[in-house]
Amino acid sequence: MSQLCSSFLAQGLSPRLALLTVALALACAAQAQETKDHDDATDLDGLTVTSARVDGQTGALGSRSVLDTPFSIARIDAADLQERQVNSLAQMFMTDPSVSGNVGAYSSSWYTTISVRGLPLSYNNGYKINGMPLYTYGAEWPSESMEQVQLLKGASGFMYGFGVPGGILNYITKKSTDVPLTELELGYRDGGVYRAHLDIGRRFGEDERFGYRLNLLREQGDSYDGTHVERTLASLALDARLSERLTWTADLLYQDRVLENEPPVIAFHYYNDSALPAHVNPRRDRSIHDTFFNTEMQSAMTGLQWQIDEHWNARVDMGYSKFRSAINKVWEYVGDSSGDSLAYIYDLGNRAENYQAQALVQGSVSTGPFQHQVVAGVSWRQADSGWAKENLWRPLGASNLYTDSGLSYHSTHSRDTYRSDRVRQNAVFASDTVSVGAHWSLLLGLRNTDYRQDSWDVSGAHTARYSTSVTTPTAAVMFKPREDQTVYVSYVQSLEQGSTVGQLYENRNQLLPPLESNQYELGYKLERPGWALETALFRIERGAEYANAANYYVQDGEIRYQGLELGGHVQATSNWRIGAGATWLNAEYLRNEVAALGRTPAGAPRFQATFDTAYDVAAVPGLSVHAVVKHYGSQQYGASMWNDLYDLKLPSFTLLDAGVGYRVLWRSTPVTLRGEITNLTDRRYWTNDGNGYGPPRTFSLSARFAFE
């Protein structure tokens, strides 16, 4: 850690009608069955009823408060998602300066949606739902079904097993509510996208032993750039209090999303000029007819939670998730500043399935002057992934960024898939947080993982196998000057799945071994009723993968990411909240071959900053306004699926979002009206993700009805 500090000092119609009919029927049935009085049904201060606040869920560390977790964790609650009408991860983390990403809700991402501390989250291992694994290639899981979204920044080897050290994003699903809940939201987004969302929560039965939370959504229309959108969502959470100490839970989720006639991706991988071309108009209809990016997602999980006594509890969880995609997408590889380009068609599809089971026990025990918080468990995971047997990647024709190309492509390929990879992980883990007195504690944890990865080609022939048994440790020292403060220093070792080399390289189909990462972090957290502060000084040493001069995709040397995060908020007055944050990052290749040595990896901005504020207008009861400003730093161009050793640099830019909300009673029904404008200044900018350029100024409107 002294080395770290020294270094810093030195440096469809029918489905729609069917769904809405079901939604309205359920709403009416819920109202007809509801006979109990509840105090806040028409109180303007209680329009949104949610389940209890979720503490930090950090995998093998069990459940503990974020304040008492020696790692940096960001949380976004459902109330904030509703207030800002969030419908993408990039917008969700607009207030976090450590997060980069500009993929809009109605565009796809070729790899992953956001990056944290300069590192992209892995679509294989970086996303979870209630701690269970998800696959997210090019798409996002629905925020409308989530009570909270938690982002564990940095390496996570002990907590979650293999994973890219950028972090872990964990979706926490909505649960049944103690107060009956029936909410219907109708919305409109810029261009002509309409949506209806129904959210119902109840408890029932003797002593209200049973509970459910149902969310249904239908979204359809054409976005600002001509992309056609259709999205259907259904999720159901169930629980049963089998006894005073035993609870059963289950969560089901399904989403089908269709994106048609999406604009081509603008890519600069073969760019020859030093200056970037003029920005394109993001509202211009640049779509290639018959292109699409369609995804189908589903997950199912169940668990038992046993409160053994006042000190010990245990839980067993099982989960399954499935992801399918059908992709017919065009990329424009720009060659010069005049916008001349060559269009390529990517006609493919993929499928992934994740299975996981985990058993965990946690509790506390005293041994003399020491208090122990113990967590121990075992887990099993199998991840199968594969691609369509027929994939197409070929030139479509010459084009230009500023003129209509007239190009078209109609896909006739089958989307039948073959299994290309299977990863199995069997793990046993244990940790002990030892407290000495009221102020000091020491965390020690070990996770042993038996890892095996197999690969096959389209004919079914087994092409590669890698297996190993590894132990990844974590350690932390925490000091609490007061109950509302924590100072910590932590270390995490992590491994991530090695790449299967793609067809572009001379060593195609080679299976590379796992990469090792080490993370060191020094942090401070403070949480008080009127204000909060969090800061972290971090260093991540990650093994490097890249294409060398001979066009071999290799593992060589390391990439070092080190930086400082600072953020907090204050309740300036009873009706005015202010927040701000900044991240300074230094990233470079170390101990690599000459072509890479000293270079900055793609997508790692040196500086980013945010400012946000929310104000309740006292003169107009029920009226509130809010705004968020985020400065995105300049960064090297590249993408994680490509060689990112480019000299091209994308310039910095600043975005402003603003919105207004108004709570009112309409015929005794509480209603919340909201309006939101993103990219208020209509800034045009190039990006490393999504379509290669950012969305323009867009607006959204919604009305949420809270029925009795």
Side-chain angles (χ1 to χ4, degrees):
M1 187 57 63
S2 61
Q3 180 186 5
L4 173 61
C5 296
S6 299
S7 176
F8 272 101
L9 292 173
Q11 295 288 352
L13 187 59
S14 294
R16 176 178 62 181
L17 290 176
L19 181 64
L20 291 178
T21 300
V22 172
L24 291 173
L26 285 168
C28 293
Q31 284 186 266
Q33 293 175 2
E34 182 55 53
T35 60
K36 298 178 63 178
D37 293 329
H38 48 92
D39 295 337
D40 297 329
T42 59
D43 183 3
L44 289 179
D45 293 330
L47 287 178
T48 301
V49 183
T50 60
S51 53
R53 180 170 177 169
V54 184
D55 280 336
Q57 297 189 357
T58 47
L61 282 181
S63 297
R64 58 174 66 199
S65 70
V66 172
L67 183 64
D68 294 329
T69 303
F71 312 102
S72 183
I73 298 177
R75 297 170 297 180
I76 308 294
D77 293 322
D80 187 45
L81 298 177
Q82 292 175 8
E83 180 182 39
R84 296 192 288 124
Q85 299 192 66
V86 170
N87 66 342
S88 69
L89 284 176
Q91 187 186 4
M92 184 183 298
F93 288 96
M94 182 80 171
T95 58
D96 195 314
S98 296
V99 179
S100 301
N102 301 99
V103 181
Y106 305 130
S107 62
S108 57
S109 174
W110 196 244
Y111 177 70
T112 187
T113 304
I114 60 173
S115 296
V116 183
R117 295 177 172 177
L119 286 152
L121 297 194
S122 167
Y123 64 84
N124 277 313
N125 296 301
Y127 296 84
K128 314 288 180 184
I129 183 168
N130 298 331
M132 298 286 111
L134 295 176
Y135 184 93
T136 61
Y137 186 82
E140 297 178 5
W141 288 70
S143 62
E144 293 89 354
S145 294
M146 308 307 166
E147 185 63 42
Q148 188 178 96
V149 181
Q150 301 174 351
L151 177 61
L152 171 65
K153 301 176 186 177
S156 57
F158 169 76
M159 286 78 77
Y160 288 102
F162 277 55
V164 174
I168 296 291
L169 189 139
N170 189 22
Y171 294 103
I172 307 297
T173 55
K174 291 179 177 178
K175 308 300 181 186
S176 60
T177 56
D178 291 332
V179 176
L181 169 70
T182 303
E183 292 189 346
L184 175 65
E185 182 180 60
L186 304 176
Y188 173 86
R189 294 190 185 272
D190 198 351
V193 180
Y194 298 86
R195 72 184 185 279
H197 174 208
L198 179 66
D199 186 358
I200 300 176
R202 290 290 190 277
R203 299 210 67 82
F204 61 96
E206 184 179 356
D207 298 325
E208 297 190 329
R209 293 174 56 192
F210 305 100
Y212 72 89
R213 186 75 174 267
L214 175 68
N215 277 263
L216 298 171
L217 178 139
R218 176 66 181 182
E219 188 173 40
Q220 183 170 322
D222 294 323
S223 69
Y224 58 85
D225 61 1
T227 301
H228 181 68
V229 180
E230 293 184 26
R231 186 164 67 103
T232 302
L233 163 68
S235 69
L236 178 63
L238 302 170
D239 71 83
R241 298 166 182 166
L242 303 179
S243 70
E244 290 185 0
R245 296 182 179 272
L246 189 62
T247 301
W248 168 81
T249 61
D251 291 270
L252 305 171
L253 187 150
Y254 174 85
Q255 177 179 269
D256 180 78
R257 188 183 78 160
V258 172
L259 293 180
E260 295 177 330
N261 303 327
E262 189 181 0
V265 174
I266 296 176
F268 298 105
H269 298 101
Y270 307 113
Y271 195 69
N272 294 316
D273 286 348
S274 57
L276 286 164
H279 292 288
V280 298
N281 180 0
R283 285 188 174 273
R284 184 166 70 90
D285 188 348
R286 303 178 58 252
S287 59
I288 303 296
H289 188 60
D290 282 348
T291 58
F292 51 82
F293 197 116
N294 303 334
T295 56
E296 182 183 19
M297 309 170 173
Q298 51 192 286
S299 68
M301 60 201 71
T302 186
L304 281 174
Q305 303 166 28
W306 178 27
Q307 188 66 44
I308 302 171
D309 57 32
E310 60 179 331
H311 299 294
W312 290 87
N313 65 80
R315 61 181 301 148
V316 177
D317 295 282
M318 295 182 292
Y320 167 80
S321 65
K322 180 179 177 181
F323 179 98
R324 290 179 63 93
S325 72
I327 304 168
N328 181 30
K329 191 176 179 74
V330 173
W331 284 49
E332 281 188 278
Y333 293 98
V334 184
D336 53 44
S337 58
S338 64
D340 291 331
S341 56
L342 180 62
Y344 270 73
I345 186 69
Y346 288 82
D347 186 356
L348 69 156
N350 74 332
R351 170 176 175 161
E353 293 180 277
N354 276 289
Y355 307 81
Q356 180 165 314
Q358 178 171 285
L360 179 149
V361 60
Q362 62 179 355
S364 59
V365 63
S366 297
T367 57
F370 304 111
Q371 183 71 27
H372 300 263
Q373 184 178 349
V374 179
V375 179
V378 295
S379 70
W380 167 84
R381 178 186 175 187
Q382 178 176 298
D384 291 337
S385 59
W387 300 92
K389 295 178 180 178
E390 294 182 85
N391 288 334
L392 180 66
W393 172 47
R394 68 169 175 82
L396 189 59
S399 59
N400 186 278
L401 296 182
Y402 313 109
T403 60
D404 294 332
S405 66
L407 297 173
S408 64
Y409 176 79
H410 179 72
S411 174
T412 59
H413 279 189
S414 166
R415 291 304 188 276
D416 289 342
T417 58
Y418 73 98
R419 184 181 62 190
S420 60
D421 293 278
R422 167 172 285 177
V423 175
R424 287 194 181 104
Q425 299 182 55
N426 300 318
V428 56
F429 53 85
S431 69
D432 186 6
T433 303
V434 184
S435 299
V436 184
H439 301 291
W440 290 92
S441 58
L442 171 66
L443 166 65
L444 296 172
L446 289 174
R447 182 187 192 100
N448 179 264
T449 304
D450 287 327
Y451 177 92
R452 175 172 168 174
Q453 182 176 354
D454 291 274
S455 297
W456 295 265
D457 64 19
V458 67
S459 70
H462 190 270
T463 57
R465 171 173 294 168
Y466 181 87
S467 61
T468 187
S469 180
V470 295
T471 299
T472 50
T474 188
V477 176
M478 292 168 281
F479 173 66
K480 295 181 70 68
R482 295 166 39 116
E483 281 298 315
D484 55 12
Q485 300 177 46
T486 301
V487 181
Y488 66 89
V489 56
S490 63
Y491 166 76
V492 180
Q493 186 182 89
S494 190
L495 290 173
E496 61 182 284
Q497 179 177 326
S499 299
T500 299
V501 178
Q503 300 301 307
L504 298 176
Y505 307 105
E506 296 297 324
N507 56 332
R508 62 185 61 89
N509 297 324
Q510 181 182 353
L511 182 59
L512 302 180
L515 289 169
E516 181 178 310
S517 298
N518 296 282
Q519 176 181 290
Y520 311 87
E521 186 166 308
L522 171 65
Y524 171 74
K525 300 180 184 182
L526 179 148
E527 289 186 6
R528 291 186 179 176
W531 58 294
L533 177 68
E534 185 168 347
T535 183
L537 187 69
F538 63 88
R539 178 183 181 125
I540 300 170
E541 300 165 347
R542 181 196 190 192
E545 285 186 346
Y546 57 92
N548 63 18
N551 198 35
Y552 280 79
Y553 198 76
V554 299
Q555 293 180 346
D556 176 49
E558 73 175 40
I559 313 176
R560 184 186 65 196
Y561 299 80
Q562 58 183 13
L564 172 65
E565 300 170 340
L566 177 64
H569 70 265
V570 60
Q571 195 71 35
T573 66
S574 60
N575 61 335
W576 185 22
R577 182 185 183 277
I578 301 172
T583 296
W584 293 264
L585 177 66
N586 178 274
E588 63 178 325
Y589 282 85
L590 301 173
R591 303 198 310 275
N592 312 97
E593 63 180 49
V594 175
L597 190 64
R599 285 181 174 265
T600 300
R606 278 189 169 272
F607 175 73
Q608 295 197 154
T610 63
F611 175 84
D612 64 275
T613 186
Y615 183 75
D616 294 330
V617 182
V620 184
L623 179 65
S624 63
V625 293
H626 62 269
V628 183
V629 181
K630 187 168 188 176
H631 174 77
Y632 295 82
S634 62
Q635 55 183 268
Q636 294 297 126
Y637 183 75
S640 295
M641 293 186 67
W642 297 79
N643 177 12
D644 64 3
L645 304 184
Y646 294 98
D647 293 324
L648 192 63
K649 196 169 188 177
L650 303 182
S652 62
F653 56 91
T654 301
L655 300 181
L656 168 62
D657 294 354
V660 60
Y662 183 56
R663 296 174 173 85
V664 65
L665 284 177
W666 179 67
R667 296 182 179 179
S668 76
T669 298
V671 180
T672 302
L673 306 175
R674 292 188 174 97
E676 187 80 14
I677 301 178
T678 60
N679 192 5
L680 183 62
T681 61
D682 204 22
R683 179 66 185 267
R684 296 186 182 182
Y685 54 96
W686 299 113
T687 73
N688 262 322
D689 49 24
N691 289 328
Y693 55 92
R697 176 172 53 231
T698 61
F699 70 91
S700 58
L701 303 170
S702 70
R704 179 177 289 264
F705 303 85
F707 298 107
E708 296 184 19

